[in-house]
Amino acid sequence: MCSKGRAELAGDDVIRTERLVLRRARSDDASALHRLFTNPVAMRYWSRPVHEQMEQTENWLQSMLDPPTAETDDFIVTLDGALIGKLGCWQLPDVGFMLDPDLWGRGYAYEAFTAFIERRRRLGSSHLTADVDPENEASLRLLKRVGFNETGREARTWNIAGEWRDSVYLRLDLTT
């Protein structure tokens, strides 16, 4: 068992925290991911619209299973064996995350994020970046809590299902 607030790094494919396991995606994750990707609350600030068909989720999952670049470090977040979200970098150093809205406010995102940051430090990354909708106040608070600093803002950077969204850019330096 891990001590409170510390992650156990179990090879390159698994990160264990006090309550969570972050692991690589598997093909049998499609149904659980589809439940998240069809949830409009979970998808409100995601970079793609809500998935309407399982095929969309399967294609997205395939991109995690067979990423187009070696610059990927993406994880499925699990609690007691159940998929509750994803966190990581589909393209380093840009980090993204999603958590089941039924579990918001319980510290899981913070726990997963701090473990992922520890991993990236151990692997020698110099920094991580994030692009967040300014209306996503909870994610901005989380990122600032784990050490990210705002580096800029830009209007109309994402068009999601016909709606323009803005960006807040953040950066976390991992070297001291």
Side-chain angles (χ1 to χ4, degrees):
M1 170 107 9
C2 308
S3 61
K4 188 158 184 78
R6 299 286 300 164
E8 173 188 332
L9 301 172
D12 287 337
D13 294 332
V14 177
I15 303 170
R16 297 181 193 283
T17 71
E18 183 177 349
R19 302 177 294 173
L20 306 171
V21 174
L22 284 68
R23 60 161 174 79
R24 299 296 185 201
R26 302 184 310 229
S27 59
D28 64 348
D29 289 330
S31 292
L33 282 171
H34 190 64
R35 185 179 52 78
L36 284 178
F37 287 136
T38 57
N39 183 329
V41 174
M43 294 292 285
R44 174 66 182 113
Y45 301 110
W46 198 248
S47 58
R48 300 280 186 267
V50 170
H51 289 188
E52 295 180 12
Q53 299 180 5
M54 177 61 98
E55 182 181 8
Q56 292 170 282
T57 303
E58 290 168 344
N59 290 339
W60 186 90
L61 176 58
Q62 190 59 45
S63 75
M64 277 189 83
L65 296 172
D66 188 23
T69 174
E71 296 299 311
T72 298
D73 196 21
D74 236 349
F75 290 89
I76 294 297
V77 180
T78 67
L79 173 67
D80 298 326
L83 187 152
I84 65 166
K86 71 84 57 196
L87 183 143
C89 299
W90 191 75
Q91 174 109 21
L92 285 162
D94 197 35
V95 68
F97 57 97
M98 175 190 294
L99 190 68
D100 183 336
D102 291 341
L103 300 173
W104 290 356
R106 298 182 189 182
Y108 297 130
Y110 177 80
E111 188 173 326
F113 229 118
T114 55
F116 181 76
I117 289 167
E118 184 177 324
R119 168 191 167 71
R120 293 310 316 167
R121 274 195 180 105
R122 179 182 61 85
L123 293 173
S125 293
S126 63
H127 68 280
L128 294 171
T129 59
D131 177 346
V132 180
D133 187 313
E135 292 182 14
N136 191 347
E137 294 173 6
S139 289
L140 288 170
R141 278 192 308 273
L142 171 64
L143 288 164
K144 289 177 181 179
R145 185 174 173 211
V146 299
F148 279 76
N149 294 301
E150 184 175 328
T151 60
R153 291 177 178 246
E154 193 170 334
R156 297 175 58 92
T157 55
W158 294 91
N159 189 317
I160 311 300
E163 180 182 355
W164 280 103
R165 307 304 299 171
D166 300 338
S167 290
V168 176
Y169 300 113
L170 302 105
R171 178 182 170 114
L172 171 65
D173 289 316
L174 299 174
T175 56
T176 53

